[in-house]
Amino acid sequence: MTTSREALRRLAVGTLMPGFVGTTVPAWIEREYAVGLASVCLYAANVVDPDQLARLCSSLRAAGPELLVAVDEEGGDVTRLHYPTGSTQPGNALLGRLDDTALTRASASAIGGELAAYGINLDLAPVVDVNSADENPVIGVRSFGADAPHVARHSAAYVEGVQSVGIAACAKHFPGHGDTVTDSHHALPRVHAEAHVLDARELEPFRAAIEAGVACIMTSHVVVSAIDAERPATFSPTVLGDVLRDRLGFEGVIVSDALDMAGASAETGIPEAAVRALVAGCDLLCIGSETSQDCFLAVVNAIVDAALSGRLPVGRLEDAADRVALMSRRFGVGAGAEVRGSRDVPGWANGALVRGFEVGEAVRPWLDTPGEPVIVQVASDHNLAVGPVAWGPRAAGLATAEDDVPAGAKVAVAGRGLSARHPAWEVTERLRAQGHPTIVVDCGWPRGGADLVTFGGSVVVAEALGRYLGVPTR
């Protein structure tokens, strides 16, 4: 059994996945790889454009040939490869609406191929949460839908697509973040559904992902009271051991959601959160998007001290590091391929995406009304998972400013997350008062009231919307 501080430190860094600040590889990442660092995670702040990302990934591979390099590349609203211009994939909600698992598999495979070309070998996707709460502030269109069997089918297809090209997939956020109205980036959500509901709804997509051979599963910083009323899933041996390992039979890597989120570390700090997560059964710890060297070293020291004191059993630490090392070997990076785009999925340009839109009764009369069609996009808040990525008609060069709407035009007002307080409704009233035939488009998960819902705001979805409405590129 490993007992020396040096050996324990090597095990500790073999369970860690820090982010870092900047667009080049920090010296401390290179030093830590030399003494066992398992993984790094790239975030939007690390990306400027495809050429810079390719250089960054090449540098990472030169510094750490066996690193697990991870990103949140879900497709749709959450993208890192296509920051800040917007994703070339439709995203889960619209794929779920189309309900063609072959198309979902093809979309995921295209994402995986693009990741492989960069030398990225761990995709922190898919989201397999069942979005059962319409007002969910952080899942929404990241989910395949609100029906568990439906979500399960597409979750399995996504896993198969990503892993078919040699990229590890990660189903998230266990045991489910879909029935929440709180964003765990900001606070600690709670799910109060009964055990039989959780089993039939939240757990079903994870079963499907496990059966599809998913390499890893990410925890949620959510208290699920029917399983463990006291601890968030990330810190619950009951959730991770009794349910995920024993009941569902998952043998792969359990990765924590980011430990810098308020739902994980607001009360304890990140080093303590890291120890708690390992004790509970996490194998790979996502530290956060702007991990500094000082924060990283504090986490390492906390883990080593916990192992030396007996609070963290050394066998648990060894098991975690071994699981991560096995996944790293299984999904090792081969010779670099030419970086390619992921647009060329059959069906994107032929109207297939429009079949997933929800089209209300007001749309057909609007389409038949004479006048130049224009889209006015109204600014909409983003959550931290999405970030300030370009979205909607503006990202596709299809938007007109409200003040520039020409006389006689008919207008589609586009926003996302259209709650009753969203400013899109005021814009709509002003345009109607000026005599413009006007419909409302929600580019997110519907909250009610919109005439047309696209179930996603990525560039490829916006382009499909523009073609459907007859709006020329500006």
Side-chain angles (χ1 to χ4, degrees):
M1 177 135 332
T2 303
T3 55
S4 74
R5 189 172 187 92
E6 180 181 357
L8 288 172
R9 190 187 193 283
R10 190 171 191 89
L11 286 175
V13 298
T15 69
L16 299 183
M17 183 169 69
F20 57 85
V21 177
T23 56
T24 57
V25 182
W28 68 267
I29 292 287
E30 297 187 38
R31 288 196 300 270
E32 293 299 337
Y33 173 75
V35 292
L37 178 64
S39 179
V40 295
C41 189
L42 302 179
Y43 294 86
N46 304 124
V47 180
V48 175
D49 56 41
D51 289 342
Q52 174 270 330
L53 177 59
R55 291 193 298 272
L56 174 60
C57 290
S58 178
S59 297
L60 276 170
R61 283 289 157 224
E66 297 179 3
L67 272 173
L68 280 167
V69 179
V71 292
D72 287 289
E73 189 60 35
E74 298 173 11
D77 284 20
V78 175
T79 180
R80 304 296 181 251
L81 298 186
H82 298 280
Y83 179 86
T85 56
S87 176
T88 58
Q89 294 297 315
N92 286 4
L94 187 52
L95 288 169
R97 291 274 300 179
L98 293 167
D99 199 17
D100 180 345
T101 53
L103 202 57
T104 297
R105 193 175 294 107
S107 178
S109 178
I111 290 171
E114 194 171 15
L115 292 170
Y118 280 109
I120 297 167
N121 54 344
L122 172 56
D123 190 8
L124 300 177
V127 169
V128 307
D129 301 311
V130 178
N131 198 64
S132 52
D134 287 342
E135 65 274 29
N136 193 312
V138 68
I139 303 301
V141 295
R142 300 168 68 197
S143 168
F144 287 112
D147 176 73
H150 180 92
V151 173
R153 289 197 307 275
H154 288 275
S155 298
Y158 194 111
V159 168
E160 291 163 358
V162 169
Q163 296 193 171
S164 72
V165 292
I167 305 301
C170 178
K172 59 188 185 184
H173 309 78
F174 191 83
H177 205 322
D179 193 38
T180 62
V181 294
T182 302
D183 184 344
S184 53
H185 290 88
H186 302 296
L188 180 60
R190 295 177 180 270
V191 172
H192 296 297
E194 296 181 9
H196 72 278
V197 174
L198 293 169
D199 188 72
R201 186 180 64 191
E202 271 73 13
L203 298 186
E204 186 61 22
F206 288 99
R207 288 192 187 92
I210 291 168
E211 290 175 5
V214 71
C216 61
I217 289 178
M218 178 179 284
T219 67
S220 65
H221 307 320
V222 176
V223 174
V224 182
S225 57
I227 303 175
D228 188 332
E230 302 298 326
R231 295 167 292 196
T234 301
F235 309 124
S236 172
T238 305
V239 173
L240 303 184
D242 296 353
V243 178
L244 183 53
R245 291 290 190 209
D246 297 341
R247 193 197 311 177
L248 300 190
F250 180 60
E251 298 180 352
V253 169
I254 299 176
V255 58
S256 76
D257 205 347
L259 296 177
D260 63 348
M261 295 164 62
S265 59
E267 294 184 2
T268 67
I270 295 173
E272 171 63 14
V275 173
R276 292 177 65 200
L278 280 168
V279 170
C282 288
D283 305 306
L284 181 61
L285 306 184
C286 179
I287 301 176
S289 61
E290 297 186 353
T291 309
S292 66
Q293 181 178 6
D294 288 347
C295 174
F296 181 85
L297 294 176
V299 169
V300 173
N301 288 332
I303 293 170
V304 172
D305 289 345
L308 288 170
S309 72
R311 180 186 173 198
L312 170 61
V314 175
R316 167 81 274 274
L317 184 58
E318 290 175 329
D319 178 63
D322 286 347
R323 287 182 189 273
V324 174
L326 179 62
M327 185 172 74
S328 181
R329 291 193 295 271
R330 179 184 170 194
F331 294 97
V333 175
E338 180 183 355
V339 174
R340 59 182 175 84
S342 58
R343 268 182 186 270
D344 299 327
V345 175
W348 276 189
N350 67 3
L353 297 183
V354 174
R355 293 198 294 272
F357 293 176
E358 183 178 273
V359 180
E361 294 179 357
V363 175
R364 174 48 57 186
W366 184 91
L367 290 172
D368 292 338
T369 297
E372 177 186 354
V374 299
I375 302 175
V376 172
Q377 181 169 319
V378 181
S380 303
D381 292 338
H382 60 264
N383 60 54
L384 288 177
V386 173
V389 174
W391 64 277
R394 184 174 295 124
L398 296 167
T400 297
E402 181 184 354
D403 291 342
D404 295 334
V405 173
K410 54 184 181 181
V411 185
V413 175
R416 62 180 178 186
L418 298 185
S419 67
R421 298 180 300 277
H422 196 285
W425 303 113
E426 295 180 3
V427 173
T428 299
E429 289 306 311
R430 286 198 297 269
L431 289 164
R432 286 175 176 164
Q434 295 166 20
H436 296 285
T438 305
I439 57 172
V440 177
V441 179
D442 194 332
C443 297
W445 190 272
R447 304 288 184 90
D451 300 299
L452 193 157
V453 183
T454 65
F455 291 88
S458 73
V459 173
V460 70
V461 177
E463 291 171 344
L465 173 67
R467 288 191 296 269
Y468 178 67
L469 298 181
V471 178
T473 303
R474 301 294 168 186

